[in-house]
Amino acid sequence: MPLACIIFAEAKAALGNLKTGFHCARLHHLIYMMRILFLFFGLLAAYTGACAQFLIDGRKMLYDSRTNTYLVAAGSAVSGSAFTCNVTMEHGWHSLSIEGNGVGDSYTFTGAEGGKRFPFSVTDSLNRVVSAALAFTSLPVIHLSGVFGYDYQPAVFTLYDTGVQTLEAVAKWRGGSTNTPDKHKRNYKIKFGADHSFFGFRSDNGWILDAGQADLFRVRNRVATELWNDMARRPYYAGEEPGALTGVRGRMVEVFLNDEYAGIYCFTECMDRKQLKLKKYEKATGAVRGGLWKSGGYGSSLMWSVGGGYDNTSGTWDVFEAKYPELDDVDTTDFSTLYNAISFVANSSDADFESQVSDYFDLPVVIDYYILLCVLNAADNIGKNMYWAVYDKKKDKKLTLAVWDLDCTAGQRWVEHYLPGASSPGYNLGINLNLLERLIRLDVGRFSDSVIARYRELRRSVLSADSLSARYRAYFEAMRASGADSREEERWSGDSDIGGAVLDLRAEADYIHDWFARHIDYLDNHRFTDSFFSGITSARVTAAPSVYHNMNGQRVSSPRKGVYIYRGRKYVVN
């Protein structure tokens, strides 16, 4: 139902109650809704008055009051040196001139690629001349109108892409450290009244606008999540749920908030039960089957100890938040599977850990996550900023994982405030997640061999230095071609969200390219080597074994410095 209809229905009900003389609690709600209505139409009037004096190929122009610039989402048209557009004047507007040229029913724009601005002037019905500039983008554009804060408020969502889609919604700010009062480029959670699909992704009523707030490249989280989606093995229950995804999909867009350009965002799916295809809560019996928990900090997420007892009537335990089932939908959630798994890692004997850890954790996915942490130097995703999930606790207690919030990766320099040297390509990232520490120290099921074999397999494809760099470079080229890079830099360079740093997306793309070239070399020679996982730092062989092999399985007659195998054990000769 349209927002205005809802408000007028509320008004009719409230007035009816007033006639009967009863106290009307709905009247307070009516007043609130009327305020929203007046604000909505005020914003709409201001926006309509400021914008869209003419249409370009039937496309509405979006106005940025900060720069007095209009932006048109023109898609693939912004790819050549010149393109001709139909021009349609709105009622009362006339005498359009672009670049000093009088315009009739069409106009040929030259050099629109890369954010070029075309000055124009146009006259309104009162013969007032309006002067501004016009630019084009090949990226989709989202316009979000409303009043935003920590709680959901009514909003109008419009997506400009191959067509135009307008939907009523509610929206709010979202995030943890990105959502404090001093922040400016906010993340947004948007909810619609029904499920909708965008860009070929899943159909759902909940979506996220990720700002890349502290990322000097703005798209590190998007690229890192796509890397994970391409490299990670399927969760243990994929045979039953082939559509399960352990990372979200997203699309880079440009965003307007009311009449102000807000910059480059990633419009993404939510990580939730639906994404992971977990078994649903049984409402009839109250039985919990699938479970999902997000870690927002350290503490028990590192698994060295287990926090105090959990309370299933609370939505949080220790640093974890119950994401499914949520207390908004059920009377009690269930932390037991997560709690028991962490307690097992923290308290089990070495013998029990070796024999039972695969019952508690999806080890192939854990191996891939360990590699991802090392490849990206993901210092903010060790225990924190990750999801743990159980598919169906009625059948299996095994936890798998999903990734989240990977913006502090690939040499992100603001991490230096917390871990000096951490952005260096040669930084030895300490993985102090006890699950991984014990797997490596005890070499459970020849864990080290499995990690090295998997790393070397991935190095031949998605983890080659060229392939990694190309992912980031492709996003930069898309932003450059659309002009979004210069608009983002103009809007946010020097902002306190990035510590006053200067945004230079081209320089950041070059920095990431160089970082990966040196970082992968470091990993090949210092991290994913047999001696690193052996735990041996030095040794001497005084009488060489009679038969030994190098790490490629080749028999060696005269050992030199290096690591060798003799009767199934590793030796270091120095």
Side-chain angles (χ1 to χ4, degrees):
M1 183 184 294
L3 178 63
C5 295
I6 295 172
I7 293 173
F8 290 129
E10 290 286 333
K12 183 177 180 181
L15 291 173
N17 284 341
L18 285 175
K19 288 178 180 178
T20 65
F22 290 109
H23 172 70
C24 183
R26 296 182 72 176
L27 182 60
H28 298 286
H29 181 62
L30 170 65
I31 293 170
Y32 167 76
M33 294 292 282
M34 290 296 290
R35 287 174 179 169
I36 294 296
L37 180 64
F38 294 143
L39 177 63
F40 170 75
F41 283 121
L43 288 170
L44 183 62
Y47 181 70
T48 303
C51 291
Q53 297 88 7
F54 55 92
L55 303 179
I56 301 293
D57 272 348
R59 299 173 187 266
K60 187 173 182 177
M61 303 186 300
L62 297 170
Y63 181 62
D64 177 24
S65 60
R66 292 173 62 95
T67 61
N68 193 30
T69 301
Y70 295 77
L71 188 66
V72 178
S76 59
V78 190
S79 58
S81 58
F83 64 98
T84 300
C85 298
N86 295 323
V87 178
T88 306
M89 301 299 297
E90 292 195 338
H91 179 71
W93 294 85
H94 59 92
S95 302
L96 173 62
S97 173
I98 300 177
E99 297 183 293
N101 303 310
V103 177
D105 294 334
S106 65
Y107 187 77
T108 299
F109 294 89
T110 59
E113 189 177 40
K116 179 180 177 181
R117 293 177 181 175
F118 298 86
F120 72 86
S121 63
V122 65
T123 304
D124 68 10
S125 59
L126 298 177
N127 288 322
R128 294 173 298 189
V129 176
V130 175
S131 297
L134 168 65
F136 295 89
T137 181
S138 53
L139 294 180
V141 177
I142 289 174
H143 181 269
L144 195 63
S145 62
V147 179
F148 308 109
Y150 293 106
D151 301 314
Y152 283 112
Q153 301 286 0
V156 178
F157 169 97
T158 304
L159 171 64
Y160 297 86
D161 191 21
T162 54
V164 179
Q165 186 176 12
T166 299
L167 300 166
E168 291 178 2
V170 293
K172 70 173 183 177
W173 297 333
R174 68 166 301 279
S177 61
T178 59
N179 200 17
T180 53
D182 61 326
K183 299 303 181 183
H184 300 128
K185 193 183 184 191
R186 299 279 186 170
N187 303 307
Y188 294 86
K189 179 69 179 291
I190 302 169
K191 284 190 175 181
F192 303 104
D195 289 352
H196 295 277
S197 177
F198 304 94
F199 307 117
F201 302 146
R202 79 185 205 190
S203 181
D204 200 69
N205 70 333
W207 295 82
I208 289 172
L209 278 172
D210 176 21
Q213 184 189 76
D215 177 9
L216 297 179
F217 195 54
R218 298 315 204 198
V219 295
R220 276 181 166 90
N221 183 43
R222 175 77 260 127
V223 181
T225 304
E226 290 177 1
L227 173 63
W228 171 257
N229 289 342
D230 289 343
M231 67 172 271
R233 282 171 285 195
R234 314 287 292 138
Y236 64 90
Y237 55 88
E240 295 181 68
E241 302 288 354
L245 296 173
T246 57
V248 297
R249 295 166 297 187
R251 180 75 176 271
M252 300 310 300
V253 299
E254 296 186 76
V255 170
F256 281 78
L257 299 174
N258 298 315
D259 67 343
E260 191 170 293
Y261 181 74
I264 297 168
Y265 276 74
C266 186
F267 186 63
T268 75
E269 300 167 322
C270 299
M271 178 51 67
D272 54 18
R273 184 210 65 80
K274 181 185 286 190
Q275 194 78 352
L276 287 156
K277 305 296 184 188
L278 308 177
K279 285 295 186 182
K280 290 184 178 180
Y281 173 81
E282 294 181 352
K283 292 184 178 180
T285 64
V288 173
R289 300 184 68 180
L292 181 64
W293 309 272
K294 178 181 180 292
S295 60
Y298 299 108
S300 291
S301 73
L302 294 175
M303 303 187 185
W304 292 94
S305 62
V306 65
Y310 55 86
D311 176 4
N312 284 335
T313 64
S314 171
T316 60
W317 163 66
D318 199 75
V319 296
F320 292 96
E321 180 182 359
K323 289 297 186 178
Y324 191 81
E326 291 185 276
L327 290 181
D328 290 345
D329 304 317
V330 300
D331 293 330
T332 60
T333 186
D334 187 357
F335 286 101
S336 63
T337 308
L338 175 69
Y339 179 93
N340 292 338
I342 294 175
S343 180
F344 169 78
V345 175
N347 300 314
S348 60
S349 67
D350 285 352
D352 287 346
F353 184 86
E354 289 190 74
S355 63
Q356 299 175 38
V357 65
S358 61
D359 297 331
Y360 283 90
F361 294 95
D362 192 355
L363 293 186
V365 178
V366 170
I367 287 173
D368 288 349
Y369 189 68
Y370 173 74
I371 293 171
L372 182 80
L373 292 177
C374 295
V375 167
L376 296 178
N377 260 9
D380 205 32
N381 299 88
I382 302 169
K384 180 187 174 190
N385 289 331
M386 58 187 298
Y387 285 84
W388 289 105
V390 62
Y391 172 62
D392 185 356
K393 64 172 292 184
K394 278 189 170 183
K395 297 181 179 179
D396 201 324
K397 61 187 175 184
K398 186 178 294 186
L399 298 183
T400 195
L401 62 89
V403 300
W404 192 250
D405 196 13
L406 287 158
D407 60 338
C408 185
T409 54
Q412 172 66 285
R413 281 168 282 198
W414 67 255
V415 74
E416 295 290 324
H417 296 294
Y418 310 99
L419 293 171
S423 65
S424 167
Y427 181 76
N428 184 5
L429 182 66
I431 310 293
N432 60 330
L433 177 61
N434 196 27
L435 171 63
L436 288 167
E437 291 275 356
R438 295 193 75 181
L439 285 167
I440 293 170
R441 177 173 60 82
L442 298 173
D443 200 21
V444 177
R446 302 181 72 88
F447 183 79
S448 60
D449 291 341
S450 298
V451 169
I452 292 170
R454 179 64 173 160
Y455 174 75
R456 290 174 178 168
E457 174 190 355
L458 294 171
R459 281 283 285 113
R460 294 191 290 270
S461 54
V462 293
L463 295 188
S464 73
D466 288 343
S467 175
L468 289 166
S469 177
R471 289 177 181 269
Y472 295 83
R473 182 69 66 181
Y475 270 102
F476 168 71
E477 291 300 333
M479 292 187 287
R480 181 204 59 77
S482 69
D485 61 333
S486 58
R487 286 186 287 272
E488 180 75 15
E489 291 163 0
E490 181 179 25
R491 177 66 181 88
W492 294 111
S493 191
D495 192 86
S496 58
D497 286 354
I498 52 175
V502 173
L503 276 181
D504 186 335
L505 300 188
R506 179 183 293 277
E508 196 69 9
D510 292 340
Y511 165 76
I512 291 171
H513 172 80
D514 177 70
W515 189 88
F516 270 118
R518 294 193 287 152
H519 182 60
I520 292 298
D521 181 69
Y522 163 78
L523 294 179
D524 287 348
N525 292 289
H526 299 282
R527 187 93 194 196
F528 291 103
T529 64
D530 299 285
S531 59
F532 180 88
F533 284 100
S534 71
I536 302 172
T537 57
S538 64
R540 284 193 297 270
V541 177
T542 54
S546 56
V547 179
Y548 44 91
H549 298 79
N550 63 22
M551 300 313 299
N552 293 321
Q554 298 166 321
R555 186 166 176 165
V556 179
S557 58
S558 300
R560 298 184 179 182
K561 288 184 179 181
V563 181
Y564 299 90
I565 300 295
Y566 173 66
R567 292 182 179 175
R569 298 188 63 183
K570 295 175 183 175
Y571 288 81
V572 176
V573 178
N574 59 18

